[in-house]
Amino acid sequence: MNRRGRELVAVTDEDTRARVTALTERLVATPSHEDPTAAGDVLVEWLRAETDARVEHDAHGNVVARRGPSDAAESLALVGHHDVVPPAPGQTREE
C-alpha cells in the first residue's frame, strides 16, 4: 500500500517485468525534449508488438490504445504524460 492507503500493483511475472523494464529503458533513452512525438513512437511500437489493442498516434504525439468493443458500456482511461522538458546542464554527458 502507498501512503494514501491505496494498493500498488506489483509486477510479479518475470517475463512481464523484463518487458516493462525494457520499455522503460527505451523511453528514458529517447530524447523527447526535442521531438514530442518521439516517446509516443516508442509507445506505439511497443503497444502494437505487445498487445492486441487498436493503437492511434496523432500529430501532437498523443497515443490512444483501445481494446474490446467500441460500444462497450464501461471503459477505463489511463492517461499519462510522456514527453519531457530539456535536460538541465550537468544532466547529460557527451558521448
Side-chain angles (χ1 to χ4, degrees):
M1 297 229 176
N2 68 10
R3 64 180 180 210
R4 294 185 181 158
R6 296 182 182 150
E7 285 190 43
L8 298 176
V9 177
V11 178
T12 56
D13 175 83
E14 289 304 316
D15 182 52
T16 302
R17 181 185 304 275
R19 291 188 327 221
V20 171
T21 298
L23 170 62
T24 303
E25 289 171 350
R26 284 189 62 202
L27 286 169
V28 169
T30 301
S32 60
H33 58 280
E34 294 176 2
D35 179 2
T37 64
D41 292 340
V42 171
L43 290 172
V44 167
E45 180 184 325
W46 188 88
L47 286 165
R48 288 183 175 154
E50 298 289 335
T51 74
D52 61 353
R54 297 179 311 281
V55 182
E56 301 170 30
H57 191 201
D58 68 20
H60 302 288
N62 299 308
V63 176
V64 177
R66 293 184 169 90
R67 291 183 63 196
S70 59
D71 61 349
E74 296 181 345
S75 63
L76 170 67
L78 303 175
V79 181
H81 184 76
H82 59 260
D83 65 321
V84 297
V85 297
Q91 289 183 313
T92 61
R93 62 177 178 237
E94 298 299 320
E95 298 282 330

